[in-house]
């Protein structure tokens, strides 16, 4: 067995065993089996790392012939290794979390674990496929896995509506990828990502088709509206979908396009503008939410804007920033979703207006949340800070101040949004219903396996925040090199850039830090007000009845502040097209039915005359 | 069917689909002796036609299979069956005559007669095949038949007979490519009209069986597009599309047959809700069949669709690619609408209904597995990359 194919085979073997052994496995055993398969895949993926770090490209053929002359061949370079590691790491942590989380599910567990494993395997195949057609198959397989997992509770309207939206938006846009592949094959005769001939057919139009597909998968505005609707899935599904296996597929495609040839001169700028809009739209909509998972979903939209913005810059620095952000986002967003799931598991709700004061009941969950929330907000010493640091540097280096400004404003609003979520879930007074539940000892800390799952990913946020060079040198830099760029940016402890651009960024950061320190000194030396008597900073807003501003207050403030933005909803446009098509089809049929469906003899006669006339006229 | 490269014999497909249809009919019950007689005749003649291959006898057996389909409609025993039989006969009889006359004029494709007989032959064939396949605008019989017969009959009519007609056309395209290549414009218009028209008709419909037969018309239009070039990739796309269509139709109509049996009435996207709760297997198989029809991987439909997208670029450039994209996208929306209205989501009532019989579930599961398995090994259905020598000679104008 070739080590290159081992991660995928481990996952598929796990999926197969789920099906075969289903009658004899308990719910917990099914979860453990799935987690074990993912852990084996992760170990196998780690084993590939030494080679890809040295710039080696590993190849292996899974099946010699599949379709036409296409073999299912894997080519693992730096970028493939990055996605393989990300998928298996996130998959392992989330499946460990799922063991206890899903154990009480009355039915469908075999289906759940089987599809989860295929889902991860799909991402690995997408990342490693040597051939465009195989990549497209993997692209659609993860789409189908997502569809079936989001619709896991298929008797619930909200769940299946969400699943439908996932399928329709991402699959329709995915035809862009397929058409691009067909055009490349016709023009160049090859489908091999690494074949130099491919560059000859890689026109701006082909690149644009691929980007549209990637935009839908990676929730770029205006194709982002499916993701908040997908929130009615089991939490492990949301965690996997948001962190690694679905939204990152589009990121992969955008990055992989650099393997074929440069496409950024024409399309990089527009894509960066889309990414900037996405950053802002995502976070502004997140501010409004009172459902914890919907809030996180809109943050995924915003965060993907950062990632795609980095990749659109088209320099080694920008790509390094985008890829570093990709991995970082997998860690903190996976953690956040699992915490949200733990909260729902413990309290039965994810409604921020019905939550509060959980830090006393769920102390470990609270700590894990705070780490991940700090990371997504870009607090120093977390991986999120390093990712933003790199991105801002790359945008400055390129001279794209709009991207920098969007990222900066987005970061502030992200911090604001997570302050709201943190306070509303974990601090302040506990709502009456929860307090009663606590009195009945119904509230509980997450189980050990759930804590391990989310704790592992949160630990990654800290480790790669303190020592980002581990991630940069071992995973990101080889991926950048694999795309044909010379990695000229490096990071050191805490995220200090040590490569190109280090001086500018470091001086800038020092100035900001000095200004903040001076401000604080002046504030202290002046007649500073006494400490607030309430636990929560309100930003000057009057406090509502109670001791803290609640989610509704924040949502109200956000609605007041960003009212025009909330009117930006592309869904009516898509629905309008569909309903208009329906009306046109019905109207046309009704108009022609008297001839086409009720007078067959006349129709045949007319058709005969038409065929005769057409052929006679040549 | 066009000769496959590996060992799958041409008669395997009608035999497999016929068996699936028969087993479903046994499991779900309710069919009379006349229906069984017509069904057995239909499958036997279709299998024999493929065994005999492209010949006068093969064409005769194919026509016999089509007439058996007419008998099947007549034997359905529904209130609308007599009227549907008359309408079907009005299409089928002229179609058989037209195709028969056309084939006679060109001696089954081995001869290109002098003008104007060659053009007349093409006209007869075009008219005949369009009527048999209910291509747009000659689809008048299809909705009438779809509403009048039970879904299990449609497994045989669409999965065996229609597939056989498409296979006949594919064989003819290999033996006498000039029929299509020299009259590309009208055939392309027919294909495009069926592709777009089939989807539009499906959008405007609420009866699930009728929706499915119209999506089949669109699929036939796409397959016809693949036959229009002598390019082996396109021919392979058409061939794979044909097999994929037969399997998808079996899954879709099989699932609908289980739904009809459970509810005791036809399924409608306007009134039927949440069948998946009662019939989870049928629901899952419908989902697989819909995916195959739309061309989602891993199904044989995908192996066909990417080739046919390529054909569209070859035949009509970006305009045709856009047209195919629009049609396939609309096809997806139609199938998703059907899936989500009829099968998924909350049930219309909480009244418990018996699950589908075990035998029916087994047939459906095997069909779904066949759809996925064939998508994983599409090569066994691919056509040879070289054209027959006499066909090449005809194309190149060197035939005696």
């Amino acid at each position: 067995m070739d080590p290159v194919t081992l991660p995928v085979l481990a996952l598929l073997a796990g999926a197969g065993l789920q099906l075969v052994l289903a009658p004899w496995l308990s719910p917990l055993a099914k979860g453990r089996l799935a987690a074990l398969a993912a852990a084996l895949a992760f170990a196998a993926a780690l084993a590939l790392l030494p080679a890809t770090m040295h710039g080696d490209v590993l190849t292996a053929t899974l099946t010699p012939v599949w379709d036409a002359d296409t073999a299912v061949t894997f080519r693992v370079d730096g970028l493939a290794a990055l996605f393989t590691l990300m998928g298996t790491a996130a998959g392992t942590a989330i499946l460990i979390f799922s063991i206890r989380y899903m154990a009480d599910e009355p039915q469908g567990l075999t289906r759940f674990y089987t599809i989860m494993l295929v889902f991860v395997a799909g991402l690995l195949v997408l990342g490693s496929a040597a051939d465009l057609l195989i990549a497209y198959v993997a692209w659609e397989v993860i789409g189908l896995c997502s569809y079936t997992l989001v619709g896991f509770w298929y008797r619930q309207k909200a769940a299946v509506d969400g699943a439908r939206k996932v399928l329709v938006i991402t699959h329709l846009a995915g035809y862009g990828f397929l058409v691009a592949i067909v055009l490349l094959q016709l023009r160049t005769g090859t489908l091999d990502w690494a074949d130099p001939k491919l560059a000859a057919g890689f026109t701006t139009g082909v690149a644009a088709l691929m980007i549209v597909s990637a935009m839908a998968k990676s929730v770029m505005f205006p194709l982002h509206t499916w993701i908040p609707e997908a929130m009615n899935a089991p939490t492990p599904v949301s965690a996997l979908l948001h962190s690694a296996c679905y939204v990152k597929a589009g990121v992969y495609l955008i990055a992989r396009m650099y393997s074929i040839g440069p496409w950024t001169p024409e399309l990089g700028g527009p894509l960066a503008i889309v990414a900037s809009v996405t950053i802002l739209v995502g976070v502004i909509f997140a501010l409004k939410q009172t459902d914890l998972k919907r809030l996180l979903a809109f943050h995924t939209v915003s965060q993907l804007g950062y990632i795609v913005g980095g990749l659109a810059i088209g320099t080694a620095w920008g790509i390094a920033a985008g890829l570093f952000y990709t991995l970082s986002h997998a860690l903190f967003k996976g953690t956040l979703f699992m915490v949200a799931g733990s909260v729902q598991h413990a309290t039965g709700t994810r409604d921020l207006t019905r939550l509060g004061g959980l830090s006393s009941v769920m102390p470990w969950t609270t700590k894990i949340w705070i780490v991940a929330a700090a990371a997504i907000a870009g607090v120093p010493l977390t991986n999120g800070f390093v990712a933003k640091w790199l991105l801002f540097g790359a945008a400055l280096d390129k001279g794209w101040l709009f991207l920098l400004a969007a990222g900066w404003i987005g970061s502030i609003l992200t911090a604001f949004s997570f302050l709201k979520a943190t306070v509303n879930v974990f601090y302040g007074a506990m709502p009456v219903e929860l307090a009663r539940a606590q009195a009945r000892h119904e509230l509980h800390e997450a189980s050990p396996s759930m804590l391990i799952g989310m704790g592992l990913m949160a630990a990654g946020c800290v480790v790669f925040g303190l020592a980002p060079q581990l991630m940069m040198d071992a995973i990101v830099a080889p991926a950048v090199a694999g795309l044909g760029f010379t990695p000229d940016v490096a990071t050191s402890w805490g995220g200090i850039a040590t490569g190109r651009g280090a001086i500018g960024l470091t001086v800038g950061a020092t100035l900001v830090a000095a200004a903040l320190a001076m401000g604080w000194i002046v504030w202290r030396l002046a007649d500073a007000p006494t400490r607030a008597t309430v636990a929560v900073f309100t930003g000057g807003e009057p406090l509502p009845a109670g001791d803290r501003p609640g989610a509704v207050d924040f949502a109200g403030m956000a609605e007041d502040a960003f009212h025009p933005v909330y009117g930006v909803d592309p869904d009516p446009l898509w629905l309008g097209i569909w309903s208009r098509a329906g009306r046109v089809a019905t109207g046309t049929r009704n108009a022609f039915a008297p001839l086409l469906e009720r007078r067959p003899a006349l129709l045949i006669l007319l058709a005969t005359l038409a065929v005769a006339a057409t052929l006679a006229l040549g | 069917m066009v000769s496959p490269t590996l060992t799958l014999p041409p008669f395997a497909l009608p035999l497999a689909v016929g068996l699936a249809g028969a087993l479903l009919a046994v499991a779900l019950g309710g069919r009379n002796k006349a229906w069984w007689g017509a069904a057995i005749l239909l499958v036997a003649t279709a299998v024999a036609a493929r065994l005999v291959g492209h010949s006068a006898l093969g064409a005769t057996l194919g026509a016999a299979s089509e007439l058996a389909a007419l008998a099947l409609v007549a034997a359905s025993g529904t209130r609308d069956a007599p009227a549907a039989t008359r309408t079907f006969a009005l299409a089928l009889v002229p179609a058989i005559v037209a195709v028969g006359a056309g084939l006679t004029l060109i001696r089954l494709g081995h001869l290109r007669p002098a003008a104007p007989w060659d053009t007349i032959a093409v006209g007869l064939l075009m008219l005949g095949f369009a009527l048999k396949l209910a291509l747009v605008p000659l689809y008048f019989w299809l909705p009438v038949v779809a509403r009048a017969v039970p879904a299990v009959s449609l497994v045989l009519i669409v999965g065996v007979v229609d597939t056989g007609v498409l296979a006949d056309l594919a064989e003819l395209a290999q033996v006498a490519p000039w029929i299509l290549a020299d009259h590309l414009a009208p055939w392309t218009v027919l294909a495009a009209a069926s592709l777009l028209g089939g989807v539009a008709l499906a959008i405007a419909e609420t009866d699930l069986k009728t929706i499915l037969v119209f999506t089949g018309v669109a699929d036939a239009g796409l397959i016809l597009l693949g036959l229009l070039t002598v390019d082996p990739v396109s021919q392979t796309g058409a061939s794979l599309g044909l097999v994929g269509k037969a399997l998808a139709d079996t899954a879709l109509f099989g699932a609908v047959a289980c739904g009809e049996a459970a509810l005791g009435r036809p399924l409608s996207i306007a009134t039927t809700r949440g069948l998946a709760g009662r019939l989870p297997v049928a629901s899952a198989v419908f989902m697989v069949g819909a995916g195959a029809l739309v061309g989602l991987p891993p199904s044989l439909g995908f192996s066909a669709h990417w080739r046919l997208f390529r054909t569209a670029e070859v035949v009509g450039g970006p305009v045709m690619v856009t047209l195919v994209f629009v049609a396939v996208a609309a096809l997806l929306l139609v199938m998703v609408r059907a899936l989500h209205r009829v099968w998924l989501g909350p049930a219309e009532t909480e009244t418990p209904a018996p699950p589908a019989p075990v035998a029916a579930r087994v047939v459906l599961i095997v069909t779904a597995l066949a759809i996925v398995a064939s998508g994983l090994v599409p090569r066994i259905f691919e056509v040879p990359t070289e054209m027959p020598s006499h066909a090449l000679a005809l194309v190149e104008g060197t035939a005696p």
Side-chain angles (χ1 to χ4, degrees):
Chain A
M1 193 177 295
D2 197 300
V4 174
T5 58
L6 208 52
V8 172
L9 290 178
L11 292 164
L12 294 181
L17 285 174
Q18 286 285 343
L19 293 173
V20 173
L21 301 177
W24 299 282
L25 293 179
S26 67
L28 287 175
K30 287 176 184 175
R32 288 182 189 126
L33 175 62
L36 178 66
L40 286 173
F42 177 57
L46 272 180
L48 301 175
L49 213 52
T52 56
M53 275 177 70
H54 288 99
D56 295 343
V57 177
L58 309 168
T59 57
T61 298
L62 191 64
T63 58
V65 177
W66 168 63
D67 188 3
D69 298 325
T70 307
V72 181
T73 300
F74 291 172
R75 184 185 294 116
V76 177
D77 59 0
L79 187 68
L82 185 150
F83 278 85
T84 303
L85 269 176
M86 181 182 71
T88 51
T92 304
I94 291 165
L95 284 167
I96 290 173
F97 174 86
S98 304
I99 295 171
R100 179 57 67 181
Y101 187 87
M102 296 296 291
D104 299 329
E105 195 60 40
Q107 62 176 21
L109 271 186
T110 302
R111 171 166 49 101
F112 171 80
Y113 283 118
T114 304
I115 299 175
M116 286 286 272
L117 289 168
V118 174
F119 198 10
V120 180
L123 181 79
L124 269 54
V125 174
L126 173 68
S128 307
D131 184 279
L132 280 153
L133 208 55
I134 303 292
Y136 180 78
V137 170
W139 177 272
E140 286 301 333
V141 165
I142 60 175
L144 289 174
C145 289
S146 176
Y147 172 68
T148 46
L149 285 169
V150 170
F152 177 73
W153 290 306
Y154 58 83
R155 296 179 201 193
Q156 295 179 8
K157 187 173 185 312
V160 295
D161 283 354
R164 174 171 53 187
K165 206 162 180 180
V166 172
L167 180 72
V168 168
I169 293 184
T170 62
H171 180 74
L172 290 187
Y175 279 118
F177 188 14
L178 182 61
V179 172
I181 290 170
V182 165
L183 292 176
L184 281 170
Q185 201 269 344
L186 269 171
R187 291 171 184 177
T188 66
T190 181
L191 287 172
D192 188 334
W193 278 117
D195 193 330
K197 282 190 291 184
L198 215 54
F202 194 55
T203 58
T204 304
V206 169
L209 285 169
M210 288 189 176
I211 285 175
V212 168
S213 298
M215 279 174 60
K217 217 73 152 183
S218 290
V219 288
M220 291 292 102
F221 179 86
L223 300 174
H224 66 288
T225 57
W226 61 266
I227 202 159
E229 307 305 322
M231 283 305 96
N232 295 299
T235 292
V237 174
S238 306
L240 196 58
L241 191 141
H242 284 256
S243 67
C245 280
Y246 201 67
V247 295
K248 300 294 168 59
V251 172
Y252 169 78
L253 183 58
I254 292 172
R256 181 54 85 192
M257 282 161 59
Y258 286 109
S259 288
I260 307 176
W263 53 269
T264 43
E266 296 87 3
L267 298 173
L271 185 58
I273 291 169
V274 168
S276 302
V277 172
T278 304
I279 289 172
L280 296 175
V281 168
V283 74
I284 289 171
F285 272 83
L287 284 169
K288 186 186 170 187
Q289 305 306 317
T290 54
D291 178 318
L292 188 54
K293 281 175 76 176
R294 275 182 76 87
L295 179 145
L296 294 178
F298 276 111
H299 277 293
T300 297
V301 174
S302 177
Q303 295 295 305
L304 265 289
Y306 287 90
I307 294 170
V308 171
L311 295 175
I313 290 171
T315 62
W317 194 346
I319 292 166
L323 294 178
F324 193 96
Y325 213 124
T326 301
L327 288 170
S328 301
H329 179 258
L331 290 170
F332 56 67
K333 189 47 70 67
T335 310
L336 290 166
F337 266 106
M338 284 191 275
V339 173
S342 298
V343 167
Q344 190 177 8
H345 199 256
T347 63
T349 182
R350 54 179 201 249
D351 184 346
L352 293 176
T353 61
R354 296 170 58 200
L355 291 167
L358 286 178
S359 63
S360 58
V361 186
M362 307 177 77
W364 285 104
T365 304
T366 307
K367 291 182 180 76
I368 290 168
W369 169 273
I370 288 173
V371 168
I376 196 172
V379 173
L381 305 184
T382 64
N383 59 350
F385 166 74
V386 183
K388 284 191 169 66
W389 188 244
L390 284 166
L391 179 68
F392 292 169
L396 269 177
D397 183 59
K398 181 82 173 184
W400 283 357
L401 295 182
F402 65 91
L403 181 59
L404 181 69
W408 180 59
I409 295 167
S411 297
I412 294 169
L413 297 179
T414 302
F416 186 63
S417 172
F418 274 90
L419 177 66
K420 155 194 152 181
T422 306
V423 169
N424 274 278
V425 176
F426 295 105
Y427 296 105
M430 200 175 268
V432 177
E433 277 182 36
L434 284 187
R436 284 180 189 152
Q438 190 188 15
R440 294 192 300 269
H441 302 288
E442 288 174 4
L443 298 185
H444 55 82
E445 174 62 284
S447 71
S449 65
M450 288 161 70
L451 285 172
I452 289 171
M454 50 198 187
L456 282 173
M457 294 185 87
C461 295
V462 177
V463 168
F464 296 119
L466 292 171
Q469 63 271 36
L470 294 176
M471 189 190 282
M472 180 61 89
D473 297 345
I475 308 172
V476 175
V480 175
L483 295 174
F485 293 87
T486 306
D488 53 2
V489 178
T491 55
S492 182
W493 302 100
I496 304 299
T498 56
R500 192 163 68 85
I503 293 174
L505 265 178
T506 309
V507 170
T510 309
L511 278 173
V512 171
L516 286 172
M518 285 178 68
W520 183 78
I521 290 165
V522 169
W523 183 70
R524 292 301 298 174
L525 290 176
D527 189 15
T530 53
R531 287 174 66 83
T533 53
V534 293
V536 181
F537 175 64
T538 63
E541 291 291 319
L543 276 173
D547 68 339
R548 63 197 176 112
V552 175
D553 304 306
F554 269 85
M557 283 190 273
E559 280 189 57
D560 289 343
F562 299 111
H563 178 68
V565 180
Y566 296 125
V568 179
D569 181 6
D571 275 359
L573 175 66
W574 314 136
L575 290 171
I577 292 170
W578 174 237
S579 59
R580 195 155 295 141
R583 281 200 296 275
V584 168
T586 308
T588 310
R589 186 177 181 191
N590 290 340
F592 286 98
L595 172 65
L596 298 182
E597 296 179 27
R598 288 171 214 153
R599 288 189 172 80
L602 178 62
L603 177 67
I604 293 172
L605 182 66
L606 288 175
T608 308
L609 291 173
V611 168
T614 307
L615 294 174
L617 292 172
Chain B
M1 188 192 319
V2 184
S3 320
T5 46
L6 290 184
T7 52
L8 193 76
F11 66 83
L13 187 65
L15 186 61
V17 174
L19 273 176
L23 286 170
L24 277 170
V26 170
L28 298 172
R31 306 276 71 87
N32 56 33
K33 280 184 183 173
W35 188 93
W36 277 108
I40 290 167
L41 184 65
L42 184 156
V43 176
T45 46
V47 169
R50 299 270 73 80
L51 267 172
V52 171
H54 185 70
S55 62
L57 180 57
T60 309
L61 285 166
S65 169
E66 291 150 18
L67 290 171
L70 187 65
L72 195 71
V73 174
S76 290
T78 61
R79 197 184 54 190
D80 298 331
T85 308
R86 284 193 296 275
T87 309
F88 192 16
L90 196 58
L92 197 56
V93 174
I96 289 173
V97 171
V99 170
L103 288 175
T104 308
L105 277 173
I106 61 170
R107 300 216 184 135
L108 293 167
H110 297 293
L111 172 80
R112 181 169 187 167
W117 294 108
D118 60 342
T119 307
I120 290 170
V122 171
L124 287 168
L125 290 169
M126 190 181 289
L127 208 58
F129 278 111
L131 273 168
K132 284 184 181 184
L133 292 169
L135 298 180
V136 175
L138 297 173
Y139 66 88
F140 63 88
W141 62 269
L142 195 60
V144 182
V145 169
R147 287 194 199 98
V149 302
V152 73
S153 299
L154 290 172
V155 172
L156 301 177
I157 295 172
V158 177
V160 177
V161 179
D162 276 10
T163 309
V165 174
L166 272 170
D168 288 342
L169 187 58
E171 280 181 336
L172 198 59
Q174 281 239 316
V175 175
W178 60 269
I179 291 170
L180 299 164
D182 287 5
H183 304 278
L184 204 54
W187 285 106
T188 306
V189 169
L190 192 60
S194 302
L195 185 56
L196 280 178
V199 176
L201 287 164
I203 290 173
E205 187 58 55
T206 56
D207 175 68
L208 187 53
K209 281 183 300 188
T210 315
I211 289 174
L212 294 180
V213 293
F214 280 141
T215 59
V217 170
D219 207 23
L222 194 58
I223 292 167
L224 177 58
L225 195 67
L227 297 174
L228 295 185
T229 69
V230 290
D231 169 26
V233 177
S234 303
Q235 295 278 330
T236 304
S239 171
L240 297 177
L242 195 152
V243 181
K245 175 174 157 43
L247 293 175
D249 285 337
T250 307
L252 292 167
F253 287 114
V256 173
C258 289
E260 280 183 352
L263 294 184
R265 57 181 162 82
L267 309 186
S268 161
I269 63 165
T271 55
T272 315
R273 294 287 180 271
L275 266 185
R278 298 173 178 188
L279 305 167
V281 171
S283 165
V285 172
F286 187 93
M287 192 186 293
V288 172
L293 189 79
V294 173
L296 294 182
S299 71
L300 205 58
F302 169 69
S303 291
H305 274 221
W306 78 260
R307 287 176 169 87
L308 296 174
F309 263 103
R310 186 183 177 281
T311 305
E313 169 70 13
V314 172
V315 170
V319 173
M320 187 59 87
V321 171
T322 307
L323 190 147
V324 171
F325 163 72
V326 168
V328 174
L331 193 61
L332 173 85
L333 293 171
V334 167
M335 296 312 292
V336 166
R337 183 179 64 167
L339 184 61
H340 282 256
R341 292 256 181 105
V342 173
W343 300 95
L344 303 179
E348 54 192 301
T349 63
E350 293 306 317
T351 315
V358 175
R361 278 183 276 165
V362 169
V363 171
L364 290 181
I365 290 169
V366 169
T367 306
L369 289 175
I371 287 172
V372 176
S374 60
L376 295 175
V377 285
R379 271 186 78 87
I380 66 168
F381 302 101
E382 288 178 17
V383 292
T385 51
E386 288 181 11
M387 294 175 69
S389 55
H390 69 274
L392 260 182
L394 279 170
V395 171
E396 292 165 359
T398 55

